[in-house]
Amino acid sequence: MENKKQFIRGIAVGVVITALVAGGVSFGSRALTKVSDEKKAESGELNLTSTAVEDKITEIETLVQKYYLNEIDTEQVENYLYKGMIAGLDDAYAAYYTKEEYQSMMDSTNGSYYGIGVEMSQNMTTGIITITRVFEGSPAEEAGLLPGDVIYKVQDTEVTGEDLTKVVSMVKGAEGTTVPISVAREGESDYLTFDVERRTIEIATVEHRMLDGNIGYISIASFDDVTVNQFLTALEDLENQGETALIIDLRNNGGGLVSSAGSILDRLLPEGLIVYTEDKYGNREELKSDAENYFDKPLAVLVNGNSASASEIFAGAIKDYGIGTLVGTQTFGKGIVQKVYPLSDGTAVKLTVSKYYTPKGNNIHGIGITPDVEVELDADVANAITIPEEKDNQLQKAVEILTEK
């Protein structure tokens, strides 16, 4: 089975490589077309429909049909051809999604799904997938999974290096079924395996409460479709309770929809630029806030190394405008934008299409955003599902800063 996987992946990668290094062999009446194909290759233009590529795929297909010993999963071979094309871009954020994977991704931003109640992030350099949040009362919490657990296997399949969306779709499934998940945990010498039940998970992306001193607290777990209304409702409730200052917690928020982050910033910022993007042609698109609303009370924003993408757009705008204090540790450093393009057969591709810049023109890709006040979270609570308020030294530092103002 492993040889089969390697062979299929070889076909996928081979398609892309062939497009780039197509040789000088001509095939009879196709010689003139071949010359044209070579010119495209020399110009750096992607040309996967060249006769050389088509002939090579046909040649490999003939050999597989004639000699390959094991049963062939034709759908899997086809999917890896498409995945290989995108993998050949050497972009960790680009991906091809099957119908099932695309639907899983859509579900994850629409509000509810059958899952186990965790949020995961992936280190795009190592491919390692880590649980960053376990929802209270979720099947994952009941089973014993913890933030900081590194996912090794899902359904007995190793997942390190796999596309995160694919791993999410593996975790999800029919309501009431169970999924075995093996993790590496700090302090444990062997992998731990948990059988976790899948249940309906309602995504509460925003939590809020009033802290001592009339300081409001809003935690945003991710920027999804439902997040904007949840945030505005939370902010209104805190203001009705007499909030005099606000803490927004973006720790472990891996991003999400830029439009949702922009809508929330529109409520907080004065009139002006929120973020702008530039594509490969230098075309610029701007997202702006209007003059209708802005937040004029003391503000602090909590960030850490898992605050990425849309979270960094948020934090970058707050910092550039100087309307709040960033507290915590250096953010992840994702300053590029991906767009998902649905295909005609229900599949989809995700491509990196532009770079984004903070209002002052900073692109933080590979760098991150440095907080105004750097505070490491105490190690004894770093992997807790919930951190008691009095033991959350980053939160307490933000309270201290706002109290002084």
Side-chain angles (χ1 to χ4, degrees):
M1 181 63 181
E2 185 59 32
N3 289 337
K4 179 180 178 184
K5 281 188 175 181
Q6 291 175 353
F7 175 73
I8 293 170
R9 291 174 189 267
I11 294 176
V13 174
V15 172
V16 178
I17 293 175
T18 302
L20 297 177
V21 298
V25 180
S26 61
F27 293 85
S29 62
R30 295 183 177 178
L32 292 177
T33 305
K34 184 67 180 178
V35 172
S36 175
D37 292 341
E38 288 176 346
K39 288 183 178 179
K40 288 184 177 180
E42 290 172 2
S43 69
E45 181 180 344
L46 189 63
N47 186 21
L48 297 183
T49 58
S50 71
T51 54
V53 173
E54 291 176 354
D55 287 331
K56 188 164 187 176
I57 291 177
T58 300
E59 187 178 3
I60 294 173
E61 182 181 10
T62 300
L63 291 170
V64 171
Q65 297 283 18
K66 187 173 182 179
Y67 297 113
Y68 185 62
L69 176 64
N70 299 322
E71 183 179 353
I72 299 171
D73 185 336
T74 56
E75 182 179 1
Q76 178 174 262
V77 173
E78 184 177 340
N79 282 332
Y80 270 110
L81 283 171
Y82 307 137
K83 287 180 179 291
M85 178 181 175
I86 302 302
L89 299 175
D90 196 25
D91 182 345
Y93 296 103
Y96 167 82
Y97 299 127
T98 65
K99 291 180 182 179
E100 294 76 15
E101 290 166 351
Y102 181 45
Q103 186 60 53
S104 174
M105 181 182 66
M106 296 299 291
D107 289 344
S108 69
T109 62
N110 285 339
S112 65
Y113 59 91
Y114 296 139
I116 64 171
V118 298
E119 289 182 347
M120 298 176 280
S121 68
Q122 185 171 38
N123 184 308
M124 303 310 293
T125 301
T126 64
I128 291 174
I129 297 173
T130 304
I131 295 175
T132 56
R133 182 188 181 199
V134 178
F135 296 125
E136 289 188 68
S138 67
E141 182 186 25
E142 294 169 5
L145 289 170
L146 296 174
D149 285 345
V150 174
I151 299 181
Y152 171 56
K153 286 185 177 181
V154 176
Q155 300 173 349
D156 298 322
T157 300
E158 292 185 28
V159 297
T160 300
E162 294 285 357
D163 181 75
L164 181 59
T165 303
K166 177 182 177 181
V167 177
V168 170
S169 68
M170 292 170 65
V171 171
K172 295 176 182 177
E175 185 176 21
T177 59
T178 60
V179 54
I181 296 178
S182 297
V183 302
R185 180 175 293 172
E186 187 175 356
E188 299 287 345
S189 57
D190 295 322
Y191 293 110
L192 305 176
T193 300
F194 302 86
D195 290 322
V196 191
E197 182 183 5
R198 298 177 173 112
R199 297 203 297 261
T200 300
I201 304 297
E202 296 292 336
I203 305 173
T205 62
V206 173
E207 297 177 357
H208 75 286
R209 62 181 183 271
M210 187 71 82
L211 307 179
D212 292 341
N214 289 329
I215 297 175
Y217 170 88
I218 299 178
S219 170
I220 305 176
S222 60
F223 292 101
D224 298 334
D225 285 331
V226 298
T227 306
V228 178
N229 285 337
Q230 291 179 2
F231 177 86
L232 294 177
T233 298
L235 183 60
E236 182 180 9
D237 181 50
L238 291 172
E239 289 180 338
N240 288 338
Q241 294 183 54
E243 151 210 278
T244 57
L246 178 64
I247 296 171
I248 297 176
D249 192 345
L250 299 182
R251 291 175 297 179
N252 300 321
N253 182 328
L257 302 176
V258 174
S259 58
S260 293
S263 295
I264 294 173
L265 285 168
D266 185 28
R267 172 62 182 83
L268 301 174
L269 297 178
E271 183 177 11
L273 185 63
I274 294 175
V275 66
Y276 69 91
T277 63
E278 288 185 357
D279 66 14
K280 64 190 292 184
Y281 304 106
N283 296 320
R284 174 167 166 160
E285 291 188 4
E286 298 181 343
L287 183 63
K288 295 183 176 182
S289 58
D290 57 34
E292 185 177 350
N293 295 294
Y294 66 94
F295 191 78
D296 60 355
K297 302 171 185 176
L299 173 67
V301 178
L302 298 175
V303 293
N304 65 6
N306 290 322
S307 304
S309 192
S311 290
E312 292 175 293
I313 290 176
F314 193 108
I318 296 295
K319 185 170 185 176
D320 280 7
Y321 275 90
I323 69 165
T325 303
L326 301 190
V327 180
T329 55
Q330 193 84 1
T331 63
F332 183 83
K334 182 174 181 289
I336 51 178
V337 179
Q338 286 71 44
K339 183 175 180 180
V340 176
Y341 296 91
L343 303 179
S344 57
D345 63 351
T347 61
V349 292
K350 180 177 68 174
L351 301 175
T352 299
V353 296
S354 59
K355 297 179 180 180
Y356 77 75
Y357 298 83
T358 68
K360 289 187 175 180
N362 298 315
N363 177 258
I364 51 84
H365 192 65
I367 302 170
I369 297 173
T370 303
D372 301 301
V373 180
E374 295 194 54
V375 182
E376 289 280 353
L377 186 64
D378 288 342
D380 61 335
V381 295
N383 294 330
I385 292 177
T386 55
I387 304 175
E389 187 178 312
E390 66 276 6
K391 292 187 177 182
D392 188 341
N393 59 302
Q394 291 176 328
L395 175 63
Q396 292 304 322
K397 186 61 178 180
V399 169
E400 177 187 327
I401 291 169
L402 295 180
T403 300
E404 291 175 353
K405 291 185 177 182

